[in-house]
Amino acid sequence: MSIMVGKDTRLLVQGLGSAGRFHTDKAIAYGTNVVAGVHPGKAGTTLRFEGATDHSGVPGRPDTYAVDVPMFETVRDAVAATNANASVVYVPPFGAADAILEAVEAGLELVVCITEGIPVQDMVVVKRAMQGSGSRLVGPNCPGVITPHECKIGIMPGYIHQGGRIGVVSRSGTLTYEAVKQLSDVGLGQTTAVGIGGDPVNGTNFVDVLEMFAKDDATEGVIMIGEIGGQLEVEAARWVKENGTKPVVGFIAGETAPKGRTMGHAGAIVSGEEESAQAKKRIMKECGIHVVDSPAEIGKTMAEALK
Amino acid sequence: MKIHEYQAKRLMAARGIAVPEGRVATTPEEAVAAVRPLVEASGSPVVVVKSQIHAGGRGKGRFKEHADLGGVTVVTDGIQGGVEAAEAKVRSLAEQMLGSTLVTIQTGPEGKAVNRLYVEQGVAIARELYLSVVLDRATGRNLMMASTEGGTEIEEVAAETPEKILRETIDPAVGLADFQARRLALGLGLEGDALKNGVRFMKALAAFASDLDTDLIEINPLVVTESGDVMALDGKMGFDDNALARHPDVAELRDETEENAAELEAKEFGLSFIKLDGSIGCLVNGAGLAMATMDTIKQVGGEPANFLDVGGGATTENVTAAFKIITRDPNVKGIFVNIFGGIMKCDTIADGVVAAVKEVGLQVPLVVRLEGTNVELGKKIIDESGLNVVSATDMKDGAQKIVEAAR
């Protein structure tokens, strides 16, 4: 089993500029079922993706693939024609919030927004507009979501993933890869890896993903990778203390970050004492999370915790 | 992006938010020329000379060159001696302040050079209050905070008398509602004209924040004048860098002299760079991994010299630029390249490092850890370059090796 995405995911891609096309090609090579694209001025055409199969993805496929993805002007048209149930957004920053809203309005269950650099006030509006909606937003400014050997949505390198027993949830892209690779190396593998993104206002948060992993029978433990700034990790730690049944290994990046400076991610800034890495780690430990001081220890710490 | 007080006040005035009259000056002559029109327009013989730097605590700050001179000085000479006396005093102040270095609680001991002054009308203050608009990450909405404790650092108020901070969360679909603004204004004890003016001020400020994509507005103090006006006596603002392209009028207010030259240069190459005080230079892809790399260096006994995220789409040229920026820092005694290739390919990083070393030379030890996409190709490029590079198997191994080599 897995969470959010899997064999039944029918993916729609919003924004097929050069980045959108590049990653759509990689997703198809991995075996993701891409059913539609939305891009201005392209309705009625198809976009062909072909190349060598990525055999780290969905098993049992021929060595090459050639897929014609039908293009649409609006998300509603695309959903009506193809029954897409998830969307990934590669639309540039100033159009991305609108693209999310369009996907939500069309009733897609899952919207994954990869776009980096969306103005915060745009996300404030998106969050407000999504209140009460049945859609789930992951991101923005995130690597995406992957269930190994089933479905890859986003920009993560597929081949480092290995199907297995551990759920991964992270605010950081490359640190997710770091954790995933270690889990693959120690033979634990992943059920699903979710990048929730580094922006201050986003869709899905740690607690949402922890709840889903808790209900997923295949997931035996969870890796949680946080950063300085905000309260999300602290909320997650308290949730683990109250509700947790599976071991959680945690890391917080930014112990050495100076106060008041934004460290790359718009959300990674220490504005109060409780937002520092030290404070978050302390609270996580108090709540029973196995906290590691270096990301290099994530894999073996989880292996220990499962014993 | 931060802007100066005088710029913040111009933006507010243009949107109908009350601020005192003032004029900016970069020379003593301009400062003197500002006095008469301000006195005539306001009817008050008092003016205030304010240093314009991107740091708070200016009033209590002192100049390195003039130990008894504050960064904000009220000129009362005009009360007795008329405009000429005020002008003479402003001239002498401007001559001392311009070009001098102001040290405040926020500048660090090195201080900041004062290149501009803001000469402002004196205001007959009845009360000093506090007002701000910030993003509240817990709700994903803007939050307006108000307090009767104007002129005090809000962190201090929050720590000692948290009940004195009033809060209203702003619904982006509505803006700050009338009843919310009234609740804040009543909570501050405003009445009569001041209540009406306060409500208007707050509503306009909340709209300002969402329309112009600020990430912080702090009005400290917000003053109530003896005649019941409510105006911003100071204005500290930061803007969301990601939104600047849709506000060209704000974007052009950037003062590059206030920013670190290396950080500005890095930005041109799409790099996210922050200079720190340690001796181990770091070149990493991804913000989280870059922070974790710094943390790991510290754990094994070193101190990072910088935060540097080359980003996901970096080219060989970007990497070369990053390498040059790091090596230019004389404190750097060793460099650690830590890459987990995803979209970023290891061979691109390797090419960039090799090209940079060939161009600028390598005076300090270099440890490289490559993992992920095209890792074998990347390692081959490094190996065949003939450069004196130490390879590392993982992040911790690399951190240990560079800290050891830099001793």
Side-chain angles (χ1 to χ4, degrees):
Chain A
M1 275 297 286
S2 55
I3 65 167
M4 288 195 210
V5 303
K7 291 191 194 78
D8 301 328
T9 301
R10 297 171 58 79
L11 186 65
L12 155 76
V13 181
Q14 291 175 262
L16 283 142
S18 62
R21 279 201 306 273
F22 177 84
H23 295 296
T24 301
D25 183 58
K26 300 278 178 227
I28 293 172
Y30 193 81
T32 306
N33 186 15
V34 177
V35 298
V38 171
H39 195 87
K42 295 274 192 251
T45 66
T46 59
L47 206 52
R48 168 156 282 223
F49 295 93
E50 56 190 333
T53 299
D54 174 358
H55 284 298
S56 71
V58 177
R61 291 173 299 148
D63 289 340
T64 59
Y65 63 92
V67 176
D68 291 310
V69 175
M71 301 294 290
F72 299 88
E73 194 65 33
T74 70
V75 175
R76 205 185 263 194
D77 291 348
V79 172
T82 66
N83 259 331
N85 58 8
S87 154
V88 61
V89 175
Y90 291 107
V91 173
F94 285 175
D98 186 62
I100 296 169
L101 292 176
E102 189 183 357
V104 169
E105 193 267 353
L108 289 158
E109 294 159 30
L110 179 69
V111 183
V112 180
C113 183
I114 307 300
T115 310
E116 177 178 359
I118 302 178
V120 174
Q121 293 300 324
D122 288 9
M123 286 311 302
V124 167
V125 171
V126 167
K127 197 172 174 109
R128 170 69 166 86
M130 284 188 71
Q131 271 185 354
S133 114
S135 302
R136 165 170 301 288
L137 171 67
V138 176
N141 188 16
C142 76
V145 185
I146 182 169
T147 293
H149 318 310
E150 293 188 20
C151 177
K152 168 175 132 71
I153 300 181
I155 61 176
M156 67 292 279
Y159 75 95
I160 58 171
H161 297 80
Q162 191 58 248
R165 303 150 62 188
I166 307 300
V168 179
V169 54
S170 169
R171 263 170 80 181
S172 144
T174 40
L175 270 181
T176 318
Y177 310 159
E178 189 83 49
V180 160
K181 173 136 195 322
Q182 288 175 39
L183 291 172
S184 296
D185 288 349
V186 299
L188 289 171
Q190 308 88 40
T191 48
T192 301
V194 183
I196 62 172
D199 278 5
V201 179
N202 63 353
T204 297
N205 285 320
F206 284 115
V207 171
D208 305 315
V209 183
L210 287 171
E211 280 174 350
M212 282 185 264
F213 280 135
K215 289 180 195 146
D216 177 44
D217 291 339
T219 300
E220 295 172 32
V222 179
I223 307 286
M224 176 180 138
I225 299 171
E227 287 177 358
I228 51 168
Q231 298 285 331
L232 297 181
E233 293 85 354
V234 170
E235 282 166 28
R238 302 222 159 99
W239 185 91
V240 168
K241 189 180 181 183
E242 295 286 310
N243 308 285
T245 53
K246 299 173 182 179
V248 178
V249 172
F251 174 74
I252 302 288
E255 199 148 5
T256 40
K259 199 174 175 221
R261 296 299 309 266
T262 302
M263 305 303 275
H265 286 165
I269 177 168
V270 180
S271 0
E273 203 49 52
E274 70 283 7
E275 297 193 354
S276 70
Q278 288 85 346
K280 289 188 184 187
K281 284 182 174 180
R282 178 176 50 73
I283 295 167
M284 284 161 67
K285 275 182 197 161
E286 286 166 7
C287 293
I289 294 175
H290 305 266
V291 177
V292 295
D293 285 323
S294 165
E297 293 154 11
I298 288 173
K300 63 175 192 237
T301 306
M302 179 53 85
E304 287 287 320
L306 283 175
K307 272 182 188 156
Chain B
M1 181 188 89
K2 289 183 189 170
I3 61 172
H4 289 294
E5 173 199 3
Y6 76 92
Q7 297 169 323
K9 284 180 170 168
R10 278 183 194 167
L11 288 176
M12 288 194 278
R15 299 178 75 88
I17 300 173
V19 296
E21 290 281 324
R23 297 193 171 202
V24 69
T26 55
T27 63
E29 291 68 34
E30 285 173 1
V32 171
V35 175
R36 187 174 293 275
L38 285 175
V39 169
E40 283 172 1
S42 69
S44 158
V46 178
V47 295
V48 186
V49 181
K50 310 177 86 171
S51 306
Q52 299 296 295
I53 57 170
H54 285 187
R58 293 170 299 164
K60 287 179 186 143
R62 290 292 178 268
F63 285 90
K64 272 188 178 168
E65 297 82 353
H66 314 282
D68 50 356
L69 184 60
V72 175
T73 301
V74 180
V75 178
T76 53
D77 304 46
I79 299 172
Q80 296 286 322
V83 172
E84 289 74 17
E87 285 174 334
K89 179 69 177 178
V90 167
R91 177 182 296 280
S92 120
L93 284 173
E95 281 168 353
Q96 292 179 80
M97 290 163 123
L98 284 168
S100 294
T101 307
L102 183 60
V103 180
T104 80
I105 193 164
Q106 287 182 10
T107 59
E110 70 278 12
K112 280 195 165 184
V114 174
N115 300 316
R116 276 190 200 80
L117 299 173
Y118 194 50
V119 185
E120 199 171 64
Q121 71 172 90
V123 174
I125 300 170
R127 293 184 65 200
E128 293 195 22
L129 308 169
Y130 170 95
L131 192 68
S132 66
V133 185
V134 295
L135 177 76
D136 177 12
R137 293 168 61 158
T139 57
R141 294 183 180 186
N142 281 343
L143 177 72
M144 182 169 276
M145 292 196 282
S147 167
T148 52
E149 307 304 290
T152 315
E153 291 286 316
I154 195 69
E155 289 83 2
E156 227 170 274
V157 182
E160 284 160 25
T161 49
E163 71 282 359
K164 288 191 175 166
I165 301 178
L166 311 172
R167 295 178 168 81
E168 292 290 343
T169 297
I170 301 166
D171 184 334
V174 179
L176 184 75
D178 284 4
F179 76 88
Q180 291 181 298
R182 276 180 62 81
R183 197 150 63 190
L184 287 173
L186 291 167
L188 293 172
L190 301 185
E191 44 195 26
D193 280 351
L195 175 62
K196 204 176 67 194
N197 293 330
V199 166
R200 190 164 57 205
F201 188 103
M202 288 171 190
K203 286 182 58 99
L205 197 71
F208 183 104
S210 57
D211 291 351
L212 290 185
D213 290 283
T214 61
D215 49 28
L216 167 85
I217 304 180
E218 199 173 46
I219 310 294
N220 192 15
L222 171 76
V223 298
V224 182
T225 68
E226 284 169 1
S227 55
D229 288 328
V230 172
M231 53 171 68
L233 208 59
D234 197 1
K236 181 177 163 187
M237 281 183 193
F239 292 85
D240 182 351
D241 287 334
N242 289 335
L244 283 178
R246 61 187 177 198
H247 306 299
D249 51 331
V250 175
E252 70 177 24
L253 302 179
R254 181 179 291 278
D255 179 357
E256 298 198 341
T257 64
E258 288 280 339
E259 298 179 34
N260 180 296
E263 291 177 15
L264 275 177
E265 184 187 348
K267 201 176 279 176
E268 276 172 34
F269 286 96
L271 310 164
S272 178
F273 173 83
I274 294 174
K275 163 106 180 64
L276 301 168
D277 297 329
S279 62
I280 309 293
C282 311
L283 193 162
V284 189
N285 67 323
L289 190 61
M291 282 190 276
T293 304
M294 291 158 50
D295 297 348
T296 308
I297 286 168
K298 175 128 185 171
Q299 267 165 37
V300 299
E303 287 288 342
N306 64 276
F307 166 92
L308 195 156
D309 171 12
V310 293
T315 61
T316 303
E317 288 70 41
N318 298 146
V319 175
T320 307
F323 203 85
K324 284 189 198 163
I325 289 168
I326 293 173
T327 49
R328 210 180 297 142
D329 178 354
N331 294 333
V332 168
K333 301 282 183 279
I335 299 171
F336 181 22
V337 175
N338 185 18
I339 300 298
F340 202 118
I343 299 323
M344 167 61 107
K345 298 180 185 76
C346 288
D347 51 317
T348 304
I349 292 281
D351 280 335
V353 169
V354 171
V357 172
K358 285 197 174 138
E359 204 179 318
V360 298
L362 184 61
Q363 320 297 335
V364 295
L366 171 64
V367 172
V368 177
R369 180 266 181 147
L370 297 176
E371 190 63 76
T373 307
N374 292 358
V375 57
E376 296 311 325
L377 197 53
K379 282 182 176 163
K380 191 159 162 263
I381 291 167
I382 299 273
D383 288 346
E384 289 176 356
S385 69
L387 299 180
N388 184 17
V389 176
V390 179
S391 290
T393 51
D394 65 28
M395 190 188 315
K396 197 157 192 180
D397 179 53
Q400 274 160 348
K401 281 178 172 157
I402 192 60
V403 170
E404 190 58 39
R407 279 219 170 96

